[in-house]
């Protein structure tokens, strides 16, 4: 880094420290610059805050060692668990060396005592973080904020020349190198800034630190707060900073992660609390996908802090949502100050309501309705009287659907007019209000009161909290046939003076029930959407999709047609290009409500039995009709892929066919596509359905992709109306550019790139730092533009590459040069070279279009099968020169880059086929190779179990969930027979554990991971 950059960072650092000190509460301690000094400081604070408990007898070194052990954490998540405390108070247990003093509980932090009392707020900078491994470097952290001696907030600063993302990459590298250990393992919040742009995020292991989750501060009106010093005033002063790492953090136990609320969530919580104090209700409008469940959880939780409230009741609108939402609530609540009660039935709901303790209760409107019906005529019963006396507050999810206006009147009457707060991403406005029904409320405002806080899809996209939508409107009706189809049922239509959308609305719905139409839809999904699904990215890395239809009967027919396609019973075939990329694509499932009416239930059950059988065979499950709820839950998890198990191709589903299920309330970041074969829905339902696709996931997912297959002009009109209604005038923000607009962006990026270099060899002639940065920036721009345009239906790769004189061979070569150039840029920046101040560059950028085409095992198996069956009677030399063997060799060479051990196994068999072809004449090569790979995998499991002395089933499970970047062997270590290891290896206990960890790592990398599918 240049002297100029260092100077800029130093000024930024000094000014930040000064501004925080001047804000009050914070004191600056430059002397606390290493682990030993920080520990000594912590010791002083603990002794000061616990004089009574310590009876004025200071901690001995041995006693403080106990404290140190309890405040050193294996992960940020474990630190967050410990730092929640009991009722907000974090304590450690210490056995005094003087036995007469017994065991004492010492206060470390009091998260309910903010800005006073026992809380001590200190600032340090230039902390010396020593290396963990010899190949790493010593580091100096920029600024850290200590609360009661623990560094809970770390701030990394960079100059404007490289931008705030370089600060993020720096923190990621620190985490990877293990710099956040010891006392810094307690860290609960990261902040990154270059002065002009500032972001924050929750700590995580380096492989889970995702730039997509960087949050920028916005004020209550959603105006961005980018400047470091404005950010510091709003977030890092006291009491705000202490609240951020206590009141506004949540533990997600299911994903073992720490979450920090985004600014709009914090503003909503404050708005609800203010409204309650003023005696008002109201609703919060936060766009779908922005974390309403988390926000509503914190609202329901915080409302319990009001002394007069007995219970906080969270209502969801149906059983399916109850499962997902209450599960999220339960996961969040494990580490918080209150319990969350799930109610399985009305009796359980009643008991939870009347028991004498504060709690949040998650229930459905159906259960609440049953309760009211059961007790409304029992006004003299003790239970009714208890229920009537309760001071309740209702928090309602998807409030315009969950509780009707009529039901709300019933609830108000029964529960003595409780306060209510609604949450929705798609409120009902005057423009789309419900039909009149007496004097009942027709809009969300009429039913709940005024909007307390709003965060629209436009705001969310600007904040990068959700993605925009790319919508394609397709039709299976040709222009030549369109008017004939309309005329067939509408003889008297004035075609000349009617717009296309109106005419499309006249098409008989029966047309879209025909097999011919559905087969065209399937062709688009399977053969023309490979880049939308990301099939070129390799097994396990694709996106998932939902297909929604107008009826259960049509959904069933779609499922049958997909089965026929896979079994070769349709005229339609899966293209060779798709089969090469993903031979088992598409894996399809279906879900719907079995009970419609008496006549249909029997047929629905029979067809669901078939679908369940297929599902069980594909995924090794055993669901029956009696377990349909469990099946739906498993399917949801498999589609969403949040658990490690579903990161492997063998456990993934590609497409789920639905009618209405999963179109609301379903959170699935890996779902990027929604295919719609039904008439346009109401505006709120369209936005809800679209929003299944726009969750933030990774850099490859840039938009939620929607494809419609009926009435394209009518659909476009309906979508535009929905966008207009729910974007507050920000339609252009929430839509992806059109194909033509994206093409223009690509052409500009290509021109910019070719102005830097005209061939891969030109890259070698770039000498200055500015030239290299210009090339890197231009290549990133070209890569992004190409990645964006590839997912449009109009994109034809062969024609596109020919038109713009592109080839993947050149792109791969450019990519290789780019990787080298980035390393050179890093080195030159470290050596003090000063880049052009206007040349901002994302050093950590990962390419999106090059180097992702991985060879799938199933494709190799197919090539092996073809090669083994052809040319059996030919001499070896001619077999070796056949096109089948040439393609096999080329594919093996390409695949070996990502998994050499597994490919060596293929090479051995391929060599044997060349030498002894008759041996394989009757063998199915796919089964043969799968068995060989499975044998190697099982040998690895056996070796792992034997070497580290654990039960085989534990080793087998560990191998399934193992992730190299985020593992320390702790899971297996707890089952290892350490005594046996000590005995066999002649080691002391500490070295025995180290030996086991080493064996786990080595065997996983060398003997198991290469053969995992």
């Amino acid at each position: 880094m240049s002297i100029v950059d260092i100077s800029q960072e130093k000024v930024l650092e000094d000014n930040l420290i000064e501004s925080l000190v001047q804000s009050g509460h914070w004191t600056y301690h430059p002397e606390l610059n290493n682990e030993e000094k920080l520990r000594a400081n912590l010791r002083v604070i603990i002794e000061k805050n616990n004089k009574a408990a310590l009876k004025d007898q200071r901690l001995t070194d041995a006693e403080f060692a106990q404290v140190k052990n309890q405040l050193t954490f294996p992960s940020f998540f474990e630190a967050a668990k410990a730092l929640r405390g009991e009722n907000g108070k974090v304590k450690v247990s210490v056995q005094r060396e003087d036995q007469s003093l017994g065991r004492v509980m010492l206060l470390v932090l009091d998260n309910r005592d903010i800005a006073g009392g026992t809380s001590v707020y200190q600032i340090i900078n230039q902390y010396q973080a020593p290396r963990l491994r010899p190949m790493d470097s010593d580091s100096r952290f920029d600024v850290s904020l200590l609360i009661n001696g623990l560094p809970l907030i770390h701030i990394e600063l960079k100059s404007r020349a490289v931008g705030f993302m370089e600060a993020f990459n720096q923190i990621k590298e620190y985490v990877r190198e293990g710099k956040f250990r010891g006392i810094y393992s307690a860290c609960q919040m990261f902040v990154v800034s270059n002065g002009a742009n500032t972001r924050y995020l929750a700590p995580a292991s380096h492989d889970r630190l995702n730039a997509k989750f960087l949050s920028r501060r916005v004020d209550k009106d959603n105006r961005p707060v980018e400047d470091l010093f404005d950010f510091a005033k709003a977030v890092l002063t006291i009491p705000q900073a202490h609240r951020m790492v206590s009141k506004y953090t949540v533990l997600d136990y299911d994903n073992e992660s720490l979450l920090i609320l985004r600014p709009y969530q914090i503003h909503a919580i404050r708005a609800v609390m203010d409204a309650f104090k003023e005696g008002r209700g109201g609703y919060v409008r936060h766009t779908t996908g922005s974390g309403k469940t988390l926000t509503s959880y914190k609202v329901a939780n915080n409302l319990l802090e009001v002394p007069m409230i007995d219970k906080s009741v969270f209502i969801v609108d149906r059983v399916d949502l109850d499962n997902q939402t209450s599960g999220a609530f339960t996961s969040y609540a494990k580490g918080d100050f209150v319990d969350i009660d799930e109610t399985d039935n009305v009796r359980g709901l009643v008991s939870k309501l009347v028991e004498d303790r504060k709690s949040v209760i998650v229930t459905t409107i159906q259960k609440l309705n049953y309760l009211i019906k059961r007790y409304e005529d029992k006004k003299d019963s003790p239970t009714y009287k208890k229920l009537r006396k309760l001071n309740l507050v209702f928090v309602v999810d998807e409030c315009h659907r969950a509780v009707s206006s009529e039901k709300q009147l019933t609830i108000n009457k029964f529960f003595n007019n409780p306060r209510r707060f609604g949450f929705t991403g798609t409120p009902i406005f005057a423009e789309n209000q419900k039909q009149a029904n007496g004097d009942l409320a027709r809009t969300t405002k009429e039913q709940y009161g005024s909007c307390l806080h709003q965060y629209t899809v436009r705001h969310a996209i600007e904040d990068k909290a959700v993605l925009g939508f790319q919508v394609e409107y397709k039709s299976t009706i040709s222009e030549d046939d369109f008017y004939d189809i309309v005329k067939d049922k509408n003889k008297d239509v004035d075609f000349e003076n009617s717009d296309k959308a109106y005419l499309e609305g006249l098409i008989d719905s029966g047309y879209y029930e025909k097999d011919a139409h559905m087969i065209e839809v399937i062709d688009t999904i399977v053969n023309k959407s490979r880049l939308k699904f990301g099939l070129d990215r390799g097994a396990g890395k694709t996106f998932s999709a939902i297909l929604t239809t107008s009826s259960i009967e049509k959904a069933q027919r779609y499922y049958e047609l997909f089965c026929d396609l896979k079994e070769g019973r349709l005229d339609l075939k899966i293209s060779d290009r798709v089969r090469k990329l993903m031979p088992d694509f598409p894996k399809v499932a279906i879900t719907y409500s079995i009970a419609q009416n008496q006549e249909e239930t029997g047929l629905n059950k029979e067809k669901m039995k078939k679908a369940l059988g297929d599902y069980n065979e594909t995924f090794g499950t055993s669901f029956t009709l009696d377990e349909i709820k469990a099946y739906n839950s498993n399917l949801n998890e498999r589609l969403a892929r949040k658990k490690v198990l579903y990161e492997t191709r063998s456990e993934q589903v590609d497409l789920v066919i639905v009618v209405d299920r999963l179109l609301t309330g379903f959170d699935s970041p890996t779902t990027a596509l929604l295919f719609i074969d039904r008439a346009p829905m109401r505006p709120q339902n369209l936005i809800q359905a679209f929003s299944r696709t726009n969750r933030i996931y990774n850099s490859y997912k840039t938009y939620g992709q929607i494809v419609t297959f009926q009435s394209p002009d009518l659909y476009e009109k309906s979508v535009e109306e929905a966008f207009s209604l729910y974007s507050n005038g920000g339609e252009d923000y929430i839509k992806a550019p059109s194909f033509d607009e994206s093409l223009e962006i690509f052409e500009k990026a290509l021109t910019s790139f070719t102005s830097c270099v005209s061939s891969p060899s030109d890259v070698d002639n770039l000498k200055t730092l500015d030239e290299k940065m210009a090339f890197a920036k231009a290549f990133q721009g070209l890569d992004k533009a190409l990645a964006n345009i590839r997912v449009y239906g109009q994109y034809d790769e062969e024609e596109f590459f020919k038109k713009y004189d592109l080839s993947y061979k050149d792109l791969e070569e450019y990519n290789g040069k780019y990787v080298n150039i980035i390393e050179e840029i890093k080195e030159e920046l470290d050596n003090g070279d000063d880049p052009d101040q206007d040349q901002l560059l994302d050093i950590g950028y990962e390419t999106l279009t090059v180097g992702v085409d991985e060879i799938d095992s199933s494709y190799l198996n197919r090539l092996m099968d073809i090669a083994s069956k052809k040319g059996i009677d030919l001499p070896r030399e001619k077999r070796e020169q056949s096109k089948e063997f040439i393609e096999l060799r080329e594919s093996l060479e390409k695949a070996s880059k990502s998994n050499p051990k597994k490919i060596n196994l293929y090479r051995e068999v391929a060599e044997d086929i060349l030498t002894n072809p008759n041996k394989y004449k009757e063998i199915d090569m796919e089964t043969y190779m799968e068995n060989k790979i499975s044998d190697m995998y099982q040998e690895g499991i056996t070796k792992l179990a034997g070497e580290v002395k654990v039960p085989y089933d534990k080793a087998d499970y560990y191998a399934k969930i193992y992730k190299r970047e985020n593992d320390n062997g702790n899971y297996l270590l707890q089952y290892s027979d350490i005594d046996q290891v000590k005995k066999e290896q002649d080691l002391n206990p500490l070295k025995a554990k180290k030996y086991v960890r080493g064996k786990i790592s080595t065997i996983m990398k060398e003997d198991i991971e290469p053969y995992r599918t």
Side-chain angles (χ1 to χ4, degrees), residues 760-790:
S761 60
D762 288 349
V763 182
D764 299 330
N765 299 322
L766 302 175
K767 302 301 180 186
T768 70
L769 177 59
D770 285 338
E771 286 176 339
K772 293 173 183 178
M773 291 187 78
F775 162 75
K777 188 176 180 181
F779 182 77
Q780 290 176 4
L782 179 66
D783 183 62
K784 287 176 188 175
L786 181 57
N788 283 337
I789 205 167
R790 278 160 35 114

Side-chain angles (χ1 to χ4, degrees), residues 176 205-208 962-968 1009:
R176 188 190 69 79
S205 57
H206 86 278
D207 60 312
R208 295 177 73 176
Y962 173 80
K963 291 182 75 174
R964 182 186 298 189
E965 299 294 341
N966 189 30
D967 192 87
N968 53 19
E1009 204 177 8

Side-chain angles (χ1 to χ4, degrees), residues 168 171 188-192 199-204 208-215 258-260:
F168 169 77
I171 283 181
Q188 298 288 281
M189 179 177 169
F190 290 146
V191 177
V192 296
R199 301 290 186 273
Y200 71 88
L201 80 162
R208 295 177 73 176
L209 272 178
N210 191 336
K212 291 279 185 179
F213 299 112
L214 286 165
S215 294
L258 173 64
L259 309 173
I260 303 179

